Amino acid sequence: MRLLIALFLILAAPAAAQVTVRTTAAEGALAIATAELKRVDAAFDASASAEVQAALRDRAAAVKARADAAVTQLTPELALIDARIAELGPRPATAEAADITAQRRTLIASHATVDGAIKRGRLLSVEAAQLADEIAGARAEQFGERVSARVASPLSPALWAAIWRDLPRDGRRVVRFADDSGAVFGRALTGRKAWMMLVGLVLAGLIAFPLRLWLRRAGRAYAINSAPGSRARRTGLALWFLLVGTLANALALAVLVLGLRWAGALGPRADMLATSLQVGGSVAGFVVALCGCLLLRRQPSWRLLAIGDTAAQALHPWGWAAGLALMTDAVVNAGSRIVGLSTSARVAGEGVTALAYAALIGGVLVTIARLRAARDDGRAGDGRAGGGTDAEAPRGAAITLVLLAAWGVVVVALAAILLGYVPFALFVMRQTLWIAVVAGAVTLLLAGIDDIVTTLLSSGSRLGRAAQAGTGVRGQTIDQLGVLLSALLRVALIVLAVAAVAAGFQSDLISAVDRVRDAAAGITIGQVTIAPGAILRSLAVLLVALAAMRAIGRWLETRYLPATALDAGARNSVATMVRYAGILLAVLWSLASLGIGMERIALVLSALSVGIGFGLQAITQNFVSGLILLAERPVKIGDLVRIGDQEGDVRKISVRATEIQIADRSTLIVPNSELITKTIRNMTLADPIGRMQIDFAVPVGTDAKAVRDILAAIYADNGDVLADPAPVIFIDALTGGQVTFRSFAYVAGPRAAYPTRSAVLFEMIDRFAKAGIHLETPAQEVRLTRAGKPDPTG
């Protein structure tokens, strides 16, 4: 016993040292995180701006993550210490060995240390989460105050009086900015690096026009002449136009600004304005390119939107107007801050920007309304007559609702401007335009993902054919994989689009990120925690297990079972049983990887037993009957059976029903319970040979031996009639002046009985006619009796 205790202490010493090291590291991380949280709290007390508060909230979230990681790291250590204390057992009443007492004391101290660290980590996580929520609430409050701020209405003299009062000072600030920027630009223009400005301007012009147009023409020529004929080339061309238009415009602006900077032509404030111009111009280029690739005025047959040529031509200028409005908004907004304009000037600028956005959105809505009215009146028929699409303007219930909502937003924005809520009106207009841009981009990308993925992952593509040749996967499976992958990517794109729209609502986006993070941690049901990662792991295990079971089943069906002495029916039974057993094992394995043990599965099955006993009784009965059919094989594949008045061949036996092909080539689907509980006739179960019976009559004066010999010769000459068992011929009756014969002959199987009998009858008619023997229908003996008391007199 002492030897075992000594061995335990020797093995436990290094492990205890490792626990001490890990605990010390976790406590150090908790100390650093606690100090960081105090700094974040102190910075938040200083009433920081919204931008600083966003960084502070990220720091608080990082502290929470560190605390959670430390708790996660220490929890297994605490369980290990508890297990070691349990191995030592309870403290005996008598004195124990000194080394064991020391070990017990060390483990108890370690337990207290680790447990205290875990509790501090959990408390720190809660405090960090509360501070992050507080910062988010403050940001939301500031955001709401900024958006809902009210100024003097444009209809009141107060706003115009303030603008008039501040106009001289704002004018001087603008002139000062212009003079300073002009002076720097003038010195650079006469300096030695002036050529850099010219180079930047020339390169920007070349990129924005000749290079962009050449790339567009090259992409169009490749799509029309060289790309494979599929839907992917349509969306591929649209995506190419979007990429070229966006990157060419952004690169041209970057080269232009870079040339000015290298030449020293931008002062500090002018450089900030140039950066705003570069960003706004890049966004404007994206919007213009997006509208162009959605409308595709020069290739209506490849257009993604269901609109005609007239609508595309009418809507195209509004894309340029939207890009110009976005770029102007970015420059004016940044310029007012850089120059330092007064509050009244900023409010006036925001009001003008909101009105410009309202005019832009209203103009698009009016254009669409005119197109729809012209279509309804029959005046806009150019698209139909010219080979365009059937729809000249966007239509449909969903489009109508969107248009009505857009009109409502415009009306609300105009009312807000008149009431003095200019920031709110500008926010609503910006968000409306941003949502429209996101919706257009999502429309293009959804179509592009579906077309490209389903084209690449199709049975007819080069990749699909290579996958079929290399892995043996069926073409239909590759098509299904392409559709599934396309759906998953499109769902992910929609989620990203929702996040992009929520980015404008700063406080809502933060809350949404928190909800997503909480959802990623999973939900706990009873003692089972289900998280997205666990679900993905379970699905991966299920797919791997099903693939393995399918490979085993294919090996059984194609390699192993054909090498055995089993018939086709037996091989099918074995393969079916293995397949369903494999599916069951795969499901159990998947549930186990999800954290659901067999005892919980048994509990669920017991809870479902009542429902199975009532609502699922028929399904359960058929399932069990199918297992019995596969095991006992009273009916197997290839058997000729008769059920009621239907007769046919068994083609497939599954766990729920059996498929029987009847004479007219249709399929009779019979529940398995019918084959187990009711009487059926299996004509090929015990002996596969078939028997045919022929009854006929000849007049009494006919030579009966000659008749027998002719019929025996017919049987002997027919190759389908078996010699063993030999055919038999009997005289059945002498009635009504006839000799009635009955004969039996055997063929290879029941299916051959009817055609062989027909061939024998044809031959009988021919040979008996040549022999002068007259065939007759066997007479039926009919006896008439009268009910009642018989007459005694006779």
Side-chain angles (χ1 to χ4, degrees):
M1 182 66 183
R2 292 183 177 180
L3 181 61
L4 293 176
I5 293 175
L7 181 61
F8 168 75
L9 294 177
I10 292 174
L11 296 176
Q18 293 179 4
V19 171
T20 303
V21 171
R22 288 191 290 263
T23 303
T24 303
E27 287 182 338
L30 287 176
I32 296 174
T34 302
E36 173 68 9
L37 186 64
K38 291 181 180 179
R39 289 192 293 268
V40 172
D41 194 8
F44 178 59
D45 290 338
S47 299
S49 62
E51 291 76 11
V52 175
Q53 287 180 357
L56 292 177
R57 189 189 181 283
D58 292 339
R59 291 168 60 185
V63 170
K64 182 180 183 303
R66 293 177 187 173
D68 292 338
V71 171
T72 303
Q73 181 182 359
L74 292 175
T75 301
E77 308 298 336
L78 183 63
L80 182 60
I81 294 174
D82 290 337
R84 290 171 181 164
I85 293 176
E87 290 176 357
L88 292 178
R91 187 185 301 273
T94 60
E96 61 180 356
D99 51 356
I100 297 179
T101 301
Q103 181 68 18
R104 187 188 303 275
R105 188 182 302 111
T106 301
L107 289 175
I108 292 175
S110 299
H111 181 277
T113 302
V114 175
D115 185 60
I118 290 176
K119 291 179 180 179
R120 289 195 303 273
R122 290 174 178 170
L123 179 61
L124 181 62
S125 176
V126 172
E127 292 177 349
Q130 291 176 348
L131 181 58
D133 292 339
E134 187 178 357
I135 296 174
R139 289 194 66 202
E141 184 177 355
Q142 289 182 2
F143 178 74
E145 290 177 354
R146 185 171 67 253
V147 171
S148 60
R150 185 177 182 183
V151 297
S153 171
L155 300 179
S156 65
L159 177 63
W160 301 105
I163 294 175
W164 181 260
R165 183 185 64 249
D166 297 333
L167 182 60
R169 186 180 301 275
D170 291 335
R172 290 193 296 271
R173 290 175 178 175
V174 172
V175 171
R176 186 180 304 113
F177 172 77
D179 291 341
D180 294 342
S181 300
V184 174
F185 184 80
R187 288 194 298 270
L189 192 62
T190 58
R192 292 181 300 175
K193 297 182 180 181
W195 61 272
M196 293 185 177
M197 290 188 290
L198 180 61
V199 171
L201 180 62
V202 172
L203 289 179
L206 292 175
I207 294 172
F209 295 101
L211 180 61
R212 179 178 63 86
L213 296 178
W214 180 82
L215 290 175
R216 285 175 59 90
R217 286 194 298 268
R220 182 184 290 109
Y222 176 79
I224 295 175
N225 302 323
S226 302
S230 63
R231 294 188 308 167
R233 65 174 182 172
R234 179 192 64 171
T235 51
L237 179 61
L239 291 173
W240 173 255
F241 284 166
L242 178 63
L243 183 65
V244 169
T246 303
L247 293 183
N249 186 72
L251 184 60
L253 288 173
V255 169
L256 178 62
V257 173
L258 191 62
L260 294 174
R261 287 173 179 168
W262 284 351
L266 297 177
R269 294 193 297 173
D271 187 87
M272 298 172 58
L273 186 62
T275 302
S276 300
L277 173 64
Q278 183 178 347
V279 174
S282 299
V283 174
F286 171 78
V287 172
V288 173
L290 178 62
C291 293
C293 65
L294 286 175
L295 297 176
L296 280 180
R297 294 178 301 159
R298 299 182 180 180
Q299 289 178 285
S301 61
W302 289 26
R303 188 175 298 138
L304 297 177
L305 299 180
I307 59 176
D309 293 341
T310 303
Q313 295 291 342
L315 293 174
H316 182 262
W318 293 110
W320 287 91
L324 180 61
L326 287 171
M327 185 174 64
T328 304
D329 182 14
V331 174
V332 171
N333 184 33
S336 61
R337 290 185 288 102
I338 293 171
V339 175
L341 298 180
S342 63
T343 302
S344 61
R346 293 188 183 182
V347 170
E350 291 178 351
V352 172
T353 303
L355 287 175
Y357 280 141
L360 171 66
I361 298 173
V364 174
L365 296 176
V366 169
T367 301
I368 295 176
R370 289 178 176 176
L371 290 170
R372 300 181 79 176
R375 181 201 63 207
D376 295 337
D377 294 340
R379 295 193 299 268
D382 297 341
R384 301 185 187 93
T389 57
D390 294 335
E392 272 297 320
R395 57 182 176 182
I399 296 297
T400 301
L401 292 177
V402 171
L403 295 178
L404 290 176
W407 277 115
V409 168
V410 172
V411 172
V412 169
L414 293 177
I417 292 174
L418 294 178
L419 294 176
Y421 294 98
V422 175
F424 174 74
L426 180 59
F427 169 75
V428 170
M429 290 291 94
R430 284 174 174 171
Q431 286 302 111
T432 302
L433 189 58
W434 173 240
I435 291 173
V437 172
V438 172
V442 169
T443 300
L444 174 61
L445 294 178
L446 285 177
I449 289 174
D450 187 46
D451 291 346
I452 295 174
V453 172
T454 54
T455 299
L456 292 178
L457 289 179
S458 64
S459 57
S461 66
R462 181 179 302 176
L463 180 61
R465 291 192 297 269
Q468 294 179 59
T471 63
V473 179
R474 294 183 303 174
Q476 185 179 7
T477 303
I478 296 177
D479 293 336
Q480 293 173 357
L481 179 62
V483 174
L484 179 60
L485 181 60
S486 171
L488 292 177
L489 292 177
R490 287 192 289 173
V491 169
L493 177 62
I494 292 174
V495 173
L496 292 177
V498 173
V501 171
F505 305 89
Q506 299 176 14
S507 58
D508 292 346
L509 179 61
I510 295 174
S511 301
V513 170
D514 286 340
R515 287 193 291 270
V516 172
R517 185 178 303 168
D518 295 338
I523 59 175
T524 301
I525 303 176
Q527 298 180 354
V528 179
T529 300
I530 301 178
I535 294 175
L536 293 177
R537 181 175 64 253
S538 177
L539 291 176
V541 168
L542 180 61
L543 292 176
V544 171
L546 290 178
M549 294 304 172
R550 183 176 181 181
I552 294 173
R554 187 183 300 110
W555 174 77
L556 283 173
E557 293 177 356
T558 59
R559 299 294 302 275
Y560 179 73
L561 291 177
T564 63
L566 299 175
D567 57 19
R571 293 199 298 267
N572 175 78
S573 298
V574 173
T576 304
M577 295 290 288
V578 170
R579 181 169 62 252
Y580 285 107
I583 292 175
L584 179 60
L585 291 176
V587 172
L588 293 178
W589 188 13
S590 175
L591 292 177
S593 66
L594 193 60
I596 301 176
M598 290 299 301
E599 66 280 358
R600 297 186 178 92
I601 297 175
L603 181 62
V604 172
L605 292 179
S606 63
L608 292 176
S609 60
V610 177
I612 293 175
F614 289 97
L616 303 178
Q617 182 178 4
I619 297 177
T620 306
Q621 183 180 10
N622 289 325
F623 179 79
V624 175
S625 299
L627 296 180
I628 294 174
L629 287 176
L630 293 173
E632 295 186 357
R633 300 176 63 217
V635 173
K636 60 182 180 298
I637 292 179
D639 284 351
L640 179 64
V641 298
R642 177 181 290 273
I643 301 178
D645 58 346
Q646 299 292 337
E647 179 180 310
D649 298 321
V650 178
R651 294 302 184 194
K652 181 180 180 182
I653 300 176
S654 62
V655 293
R656 190 196 68 83
T658 297
E659 298 180 6
I660 300 175
Q661 187 177 34
I662 58 180
D664 61 357
R665 311 302 294 176
S666 61
T667 300
L668 182 67
I669 299 177
V670 182
N672 290 330
S673 59
E674 297 287 329
L675 302 177
I676 296 297
T677 60
K678 294 187 178 181
T679 302
I680 64 170
R681 182 184 178 188
N682 191 335
M683 290 173 279
T684 56
L685 178 61
D687 196 344
I689 68 172
R691 190 189 74 166
M692 61 181 184
Q693 175 180 333
I694 298 178
D695 297 337
F696 64 95
V698 296
V700 173
T702 306
D703 186 355
K705 292 183 179 181
V707 172
R708 182 188 61 186
D709 294 339
I710 293 174
L711 183 55
I714 293 174
Y715 282 144
D717 295 339
N718 193 303
D720 294 329
V721 177
L722 299 179
D724 185 20
V728 291
I729 304 170
F730 302 99
I731 293 179
D732 185 58
L734 296 172
T735 56
Q738 293 179 341
V739 180
T740 303
F741 287 87
R742 173 167 294 178
S743 67
F744 299 95
Y746 298 90
V747 292
R751 299 174 185 84
Y754 192 84
T756 305
R757 182 175 181 272
S758 176
V760 169
L761 289 176
F762 273 110
E763 193 66 23
M764 285 175 58
I765 293 174
D766 183 58
R767 293 195 184 186
F768 285 161
K770 293 179 179 179
I773 298 175
H774 178 67
L775 292 175
E776 297 181 356
T777 302
Q780 297 181 354
E781 182 178 358
V782 180
R783 296 182 180 180
L784 300 178
T785 60
R786 184 176 59 182
K789 185 178 180 180
D791 188 359
T793 61

